[in-house]
Amino acid sequence: MQTNSSRWSGHALYLLIMAMLLSGVYFAGQKIDYSWHWERLWPYIVNTESQDIVAITDGTALVDESGQLTIQPDFGGDPQVVQRYDTLVSRNGDLIFQGDTIARIDGWRFGPIAQGLWVTIKISFISLIFAVLLGIIFGLMRVAHGQVWRNLALTYVEVIRGTPLLVQIFIVYFFIGTVFDLDRFTAGVAALSIFTGAYVAEIVRAGIQSVPVGQMEAARSLGMNYAQAMLYVIMPQAIKRTLPPLAGQFINLIKDSSLVSVISITDLTKAGREVVSGSFAPFEVWFTVAALYLLVTGGLSWMIQRLEKRLAASD
Amino acid sequence: MTDINETVKPLPLIQAKQVNKVFANGCHALKDVSLDIFPGEVVVIIGPSGSGKSTFLRTLNQLESISSGHILLDQVDLTDSRTDINKVRADVGMVFQAFNLFPHKTALGNVMLAPLKVQRQSKAEAQQTARDLLTRVGLADRFNNYPSRLSGGQQQRVAIARSLAMKPKALLFDEPTSALDPEMVGEVLDVMKELAKEGMTMVVVTHEMGFAREVADRVVFMEDGELVLEETPERFFDSHHPRLQRFLGQVL
């Protein structure tokens, strides 16, 4: 049994090693010929710059007493009325050409990195749901009595596990996507779900087979049919056993979702690439992108650990 | 049906006729086993391990399919493909050597599950039945315990309550005390004796000779997949059948 003092000295040693590692990284970063500009990153995460309001027609600017700005077209047509703005750029009576900035509005919107993060979360979450559905269906087929079901499920698992995800994404997008007229996002979700589903199927199969045979016999001898026995007796036990490997698979799914950037889905990774070319701050961007992935995967494993603890009530 | 005895004797509840079982590996586990079990009867099956007694018991609710022969419950042929086997199984409870309680359910949950899902009882009704049954097997203070928090003897009593919840016509016991610590055997046997006294039809595979002598209406000896001897306890234990004598010499 570990004593309290040895645990605390262990923690202290850990903090020391981590501090040394991080300061090593920091000083290495200072030594190289690279000027760090973390502040350049902010506009790409949350953009607080004021937005331009541009004229949509040629005309004359009219500002009335209440402050309402109207662009009166010179040659007829509907006037452009701007009610909300924070700074006025044009003055009363100015001659305005189409495309001129006439006012600015303050506010904020998400930058490309935040939008990319949202796409990554969205694509991972939707794929996760379909992957679990596919995994349960094919996992059940793997242990079904009919040989045809077992063969079909085995083929799916072997084909998907035996080919690279990148190639599958290309095939789904260019071939299946063309046949069924899928948009990029749907194709990305399909490729990720089919890929992860194969692994989930194997995890589900292993989970079902890890439940002792006696459980199925006890359920059947009470008069339950196969489906009831699976649903109420086998699966609840199997799911509990499969949570740790499933958590690993879901984390892989989130990381694998970075590959969909190859079919031009602007996820976190692709957003990172775009921001690098706009900000000239590659190190900062990639560190930030990595940290954001870590945040998402960390959140997911925390949730699954909570679930495991709740299910451990019967142990 | 022309036999005069048929009219005076009640019809058997369970009938095994010329049952044969050959496993996929070629092992001939049951050879022409025939046995009638009448309502309210306690039949104890004994025999050396590998004699086919457990296999025979498991064919009675078709957990084990048979290669040839017939199993009849209340005159319904279980080997007939038109028979709804799930309905039959609900009428024949089974108690296992390894208890096989559902580990993710409490004692109450274990007893309630089948009445809720198979018989579609209301939750209140199923819970009331489960409470009564658990009280009857002496576990009134263990309703909300998970199996992992129960001793072997307590688990086996929950398992008996669980099969009773389906109000079965007969109960099959597959070596119910073999996995128990010696001090817990008694509590399970007591519950079984109580059931026998209340008139439950029971088929029991066991090594408990005391139970066979005391409770059984008939004792059956099996060896090498054959039903060797079938007698009342008094005549059974006095029998001079050489194969039985050899077996009893080993276990007693």
Side-chain angles (χ1 to χ4, degrees):
Chain A
M1 206 51 205
Q2 211 180 11
T3 63
N4 248 349
S5 64
S6 78
R7 198 162 62 225
W8 283 113
S9 58
H11 281 312
L13 192 62
Y14 159 78
L15 287 176
L16 186 71
I17 293 171
M18 286 308 287
M20 278 164 60
L21 278 173
L22 288 177
S23 55
V25 170
Y26 178 76
F27 286 116
Q30 295 296 308
K31 259 183 99 99
I32 54 170
D33 185 17
Y34 184 86
S35 47
W36 294 82
H37 292 288
W38 285 98
E39 75 286 349
R40 279 193 201 161
L41 228 54
W42 274 114
Y44 296 102
I45 299 170
V46 176
N47 193 345
T48 51
E49 274 176 23
S50 52
Q51 307 292 308
D52 291 347
I53 299 170
V54 294
I56 53 172
T57 173
D58 297 346
T60 311
L62 300 168
V63 183
D64 62 17
E65 315 84 68
S66 64
Q68 179 175 285
L69 171 68
T70 310
I71 307 297
Q72 192 62 53
D74 293 333
F75 306 107
D78 293 327
Q80 179 187 3
V81 180
V82 182
Q83 273 162 335
R84 279 191 54 240
Y85 59 87
D86 291 293
T87 41
L88 204 57
V89 178
S90 48
R91 280 171 304 177
N92 199 13
D94 275 1
L95 193 61
I96 302 290
F97 293 101
Q98 186 178 349
D100 283 357
T101 300
I102 49 176
R104 290 207 176 88
I105 186 162
D106 294 341
W108 62 278
R109 62 201 163 97
F110 286 115
I113 289 188
Q115 281 169 1
L117 176 66
W118 173 238
V119 170
T120 288
I121 292 174
K122 199 164 65 172
I123 206 168
S124 305
F125 184 73
I126 299 173
S127 305
L128 189 149
I129 289 171
F130 283 111
V132 168
L133 284 177
L134 282 174
I136 289 177
I137 292 169
F138 282 93
L140 285 170
M141 279 166 67
R142 287 278 273 132
V143 297
H145 290 304
Q147 188 64 46
V148 58
W149 300 115
R150 292 210 297 271
N151 287 356
L152 283 170
L154 190 65
T155 309
Y156 165 66
V157 168
E158 289 303 328
V159 166
I160 296 302
R161 291 204 308 183
T163 50
L165 175 56
L166 195 57
V167 175
Q168 289 170 19
I169 291 175
F170 284 133
I171 291 176
V172 169
Y173 181 55
F174 290 115
F175 176 65
I176 303 177
T178 309
V179 173
F180 292 105
D181 196 22
L182 303 179
D183 64 80
R184 321 175 179 285
F185 189 82
T186 314
V189 166
L192 282 174
S193 327
I194 292 170
F195 178 77
T196 307
Y199 288 88
V200 174
E202 279 303 276
I203 293 172
V204 168
R205 175 193 63 82
I208 291 173
Q209 288 179 339
S210 77
V211 177
V213 186
Q215 292 290 313
M216 178 56 97
E217 290 183 348
R220 297 304 299 272
S221 73
L222 285 166
M224 290 187 213
N225 58 36
Y226 183 80
Q228 287 172 326
M230 267 290 167
L231 188 60
Y232 301 121
V233 176
I234 307 297
M235 283 309 265
Q237 298 180 54
I239 295 291
K240 188 171 140 186
R241 284 158 203 247
T242 55
L243 269 181
L246 274 183
Q249 202 55 54
F250 293 160
I251 286 167
N252 273 342
L253 168 65
I254 292 172
K255 295 185 294 179
D256 289 340
S257 74
S258 64
L259 286 175
V260 298
S261 56
V262 298
I263 53 171
S264 276
I265 295 174
T266 312
D267 71 327
L268 187 51
T269 303
K270 184 146 187 293
R273 255 197 336 245
E274 286 169 3
V275 169
V276 165
S277 53
S279 67
F280 301 108
F283 293 2
E284 294 88 332
V285 169
W286 290 122
F287 275 123
T288 307
V289 166
L292 289 172
Y293 272 114
L294 199 58
L295 198 71
V296 179
T297 53
L300 185 72
S301 36
W302 178 76
M303 282 194 290
I304 293 184
Q305 270 175 28
R306 288 270 312 258
L307 193 62
E308 267 178 67
K309 284 222 178 79
R310 267 186 52 184
L311 291 177
S314 60
D315 289 339
Chain B
M1 290 296 153
T2 49
D3 191 332
I4 191 80
N5 279 334
E6 293 280 342
T7 54
V8 286
K9 253 187 149 179
L11 287 168
L13 181 61
I14 304 173
Q15 254 182 314
K17 290 182 182 170
Q18 306 274 296
V19 171
N20 276 281
K21 170 77 187 178
V22 183
F23 283 105
N25 62 11
C27 169
H28 199 161
L30 296 175
K31 297 167 189 161
D32 282 335
V33 179
S34 296
L35 184 68
D36 290 353
I37 295 142
F38 294 92
E41 222 186 1
V42 177
V43 175
V44 169
I45 305 176
I46 63 170
S49 58
S51 60
K53 55 193 192 306
S54 279
T55 307
F56 176 62
L57 191 77
R58 289 158 58 84
T59 63
L60 296 183
N61 70 348
Q62 288 293 290
L63 275 187
E64 207 77 72
S65 62
I66 58 175
S67 308
S68 70
H70 293 280
I71 309 271
L72 279 74
L73 178 86
D74 259 351
Q75 311 307 305
V76 178
D77 193 342
L78 308 196
T79 49
D80 189 328
S81 59
R82 284 166 299 182
T83 306
D84 180 0
I85 194 64
N86 296 317
K87 213 165 167 168
V88 172
R89 287 202 183 110
D91 282 342
V92 184
M94 186 148 195
V95 176
F96 299 86
Q97 181 177 359
F99 326 134
N100 295 346
L101 288 185
F102 307 136
H104 60 300
K105 298 269 178 202
T106 60
L108 214 50
N110 264 278
V111 182
M112 283 165 65
L113 187 64
L116 280 178
K117 304 300 179 189
V118 179
Q119 295 180 334
R120 308 241 166 247
Q121 287 183 14
S122 72
K123 198 163 176 202
E125 188 187 357
Q127 196 162 32
Q128 192 52 51
T129 318
R131 282 170 187 276
D132 292 347
L133 285 170
L134 284 173
T135 308
R136 198 165 135 199
V137 297
L139 293 170
D141 52 344
R142 292 277 186 268
F143 288 162
N144 295 313
N145 284 54
Y146 284 99
S148 57
R149 296 263 184 271
L150 297 172
S151 72
Q154 289 169 337
Q155 288 191 52
Q156 194 60 296
R157 284 185 282 153
V158 174
I160 293 173
R162 180 174 69 176
S163 23
L164 287 174
M166 295 300 282
K167 302 187 176 63
K169 295 173 181 161
L171 273 185
L172 311 177
F173 292 83
D174 189 3
E175 305 200 27
T177 57
S178 299
L180 293 176
D181 289 337
E183 74 269 23
M184 292 170 184
V185 171
E187 62 190 64
V188 172
L189 290 182
D190 285 345
V191 170
M192 290 167 65
K193 284 174 194 165
E194 205 56 44
L195 284 174
K197 224 183 278 173
E198 288 164 18
M200 173 61 78
T201 312
M202 291 158 66
V203 185
V204 185
V205 170
T206 186
H207 294 291
E208 295 293 330
M209 297 306 161
F211 179 82
R213 205 188 292 265
E214 193 184 333
V215 184
D217 296 304
R218 264 184 306 154
V219 186
V220 173
F221 176 62
M222 282 183 75
E223 192 179 40
D224 293 331
E226 290 169 8
L227 199 156
V228 178
L229 192 64
E230 179 190 339
E231 278 294 358
T232 60
E234 303 80 48
R235 284 159 71 179
F236 184 88
F237 287 104
D238 291 337
S239 158
H240 293 289
H241 198 289
R243 289 163 84 176
L244 175 62
Q245 281 305 314
R246 195 173 59 226
F247 172 69
L248 289 178
Q250 283 161 351
V251 295
L252 289 177

